[in-house]
Amino acid sequence: MSIPVKILLAENIHSVAKERLESEGFQVDLLSHSPSEEELLKLLPQYQVLGIRSKTEISEKVLKANPHLLCIGAFCIGTNQINLKASTSIGVPVFNAPHSNTRSVAELVIAEMIGLCRQLCDRSMKAHVGEWIKSADGSREIRGKTLGIVGYGHIGSQLSVLAESLGLKVVFYDIVKKLPLGNAQVMRTLSELLEISDFVSLHVPETSQTKNMISSAEFKKMKKDSFLINASRGSVVEIEDLVVALKSKHLAGCAIDVFPMEPSSNKEKFQSPLQGLPNVILTPHIGGSTEEAQYAIGLEVAESFRRFIRMWSSAGAVNFPNVDLPARPSVSRMINIHKNEPGVLGEVNGLISKAGANIQAQYLATDEKIGYLIVDIEVVDGHGLANEIQKLTRSIKTRVVLAQK
Ligand code: NAI
């Protein structure tokens, strides 16, 4: 018999998550708003699993008061809103969905390349106020142009495939060796890429290395009349230097989705030195914001919940050693999360052997703080054994899913 699991999904998480989890036999309750700390302290004792989006803060106080939680899901990309250190210390993995919106970002970039080449936004805005600018001057096709992709990860490589299908030549630069897709060509240096690209599109993470990686020296290396697109992180481009490159007409335009300072809500005013400049597309960090991405995020995190609850698979957890063992329903599966100190495995195995249980498979993964042990085991009293193991001083959490008879 499976353990009865109650799941709370807050912040209007896409309905596909509830449907998916209910089809597994879990009980799911919904909250349309982002619960406060006080509300969480009141609600969580009734639930084993919590799903939130980006607005709900999960503090150390909330986590320490709810060590019974099995796992938490951030139905979004970032996990800054959750105190990950505290979550790890009580043995609660946190799952997110970092790549469910990859395609949405890649599609936006394609739209922006065409939009920039045709001055689409400016001409549309003018038509709205009665100005009729029918002219081919400065309007170009994207076919045959060179797209330089900086960061050939999930989004960069997806963009590469889409761009080639539209007849662009693709070059890319990455600090890690990456397999070029289609006819894309690797560039040895960023400078090499900047010098030959008609479009430079940035798809790197925020790191100390990428902070202001595109500033005045890089703009100078870019081709005259080329375009810059940034839908990665606001810190990657030195905005004042971009303004200079646009005002001097060295660049023919840009599309920027992410900014060094972004409003924290739709109610706050947005300000940028890029406002009012010609052929500059500004969007409010919507690269990954589509209904399809929300749907995919709902499915991805719900699937992580299912795999953890049913099989104790921690694959994809951001704060936990990642372990993914194939399902073996004919034997019981036990997990033990413990402080990563020498000798714990010996103590656990001593208790297993004392119980006369037969180990079918065992897997231990560790990080500097915790050890995550999964044992597939033939045992008469699985819960009794789990209770004994949990009593070890260095055990954080021990759980068992019993064999299906
Ligand atoms: P990813 O991790 O799959 O790929 C990033 C790539 O950049 C990796 O291949 C990495 O090796 C490379 N890289 C790292 N440092 C580099 C450097 N100094 N120079 C060149 N390459 C470097 O990430 P993913 O999913 O493709 O996301 C890329 C960016 O897009 C991230 O910053 C992410 O936050 C952002 N993003 C923005 C969204 C939006 O709404 N605008 C939505 C989703 C992601």
Side-chain angles (χ1 to χ4, degrees), residues 150-226:
V150 184
Y152 205 66
H154 288 83
I155 297 171
S157 56
Q158 178 91 220
L159 172 63
S160 170
V161 174
L162 295 181
E164 274 201 348
S165 71
L166 287 167
L168 284 113
K169 179 174 184 296
V170 175
V171 298
F172 70 88
Y173 169 71
D174 199 300
I175 45 166
V176 172
K177 195 170 185 305
K178 294 282 167 134
L179 176 74
L181 300 180
N183 299 313
Q185 271 184 307
V186 191
M187 298 284 103
R188 278 180 302 118
T189 61
L190 176 61
S191 301
E192 213 177 302
L193 177 143
L194 297 174
E195 283 158 16
I196 63 164
S197 298
D198 299 297
F199 300 94
V200 172
S201 193
L202 308 173
H203 300 286
V204 291
E206 182 174 60
T207 65
S208 53
Q209 240 183 319
T210 62
K211 190 168 166 51
N212 289 335
M213 83 186 286
I214 306 292
S215 48
S216 73
E218 286 70 33
F219 287 122
K220 283 186 189 128
K221 286 179 191 155
M222 284 176 69
K223 277 170 77 172
K224 167 106 178 70
D225 286 335
S226 59

Side-chain angles (χ1 to χ4, degrees), residues 112 114-123 125 138 140 226-228 246 251-255 274 276-282:
E112 289 175 337
I114 299 173
L116 288 168
C117 265
R118 306 293 287 272
Q119 300 145 28
L120 215 54
C121 293
D122 288 8
R123 290 191 191 207
M125 275 192 303
R140 284 171 274 162
S226 59
F227 301 99
L228 178 80
L246 289 163
L251 293 196
C254 69
L274 292 165
L277 294 177
N279 214 17
V280 167
I281 301 175
L282 303 179

Side-chain angles (χ1 to χ4, degrees), residues 102-131:
T102 296
R103 173 67 180 227
S104 303
V105 181
E107 284 193 12
L108 181 72
V109 174
I110 294 286
E112 289 175 337
M113 285 197 293
I114 299 173
L116 288 168
C117 265
R118 306 293 287 272
Q119 300 145 28
L120 215 54
C121 293
D122 288 8
R123 290 191 191 207
S124 168
M125 275 192 303
K126 289 202 167 128
H128 274 283
V129 294
E131 285 185 53

Side-chain angles (χ1 to χ4, degrees), residues 5-7 29 42-49 66 68:
V5 173
K6 275 184 80 180
I7 301 174
D29 292 336
K42 222 180 269 170
L43 285 169
L44 282 184
Q46 308 157 48
Y47 294 95
Q48 286 87 49
V49 176
N66 291 284
H68 68 281

Side-chain angles (χ1 to χ4, degrees), residues 311-314 323-325 333-336 359 361-365 372-376:
M311 296 192 282
W312 302 123
S313 162
S314 61
V323 181
D324 197 8
L325 287 187
R333 176 166 287 180
M334 196 181 67
I335 56 156
N336 171 253
I359 295 177
Q362 190 172 51
Y363 196 93
L364 172 68
Y372 184 46
L373 175 70
I374 300 187
V375 191
D376 282 347

Side-chain angles (χ1 to χ4, degrees), residues 336-338 343-351 386-398:
N336 171 253
I337 303 159
H338 53 259
V344 182
L345 190 59
E347 290 177 0
V348 172
N349 282 339
L351 289 172
N387 285 341
E388 285 305 306
I389 292 174
Q390 182 55 26
K391 283 183 201 153
L392 294 171
T393 52
R394 290 174 292 186
S395 280
I396 297 172
K397 190 171 279 177
T398 312

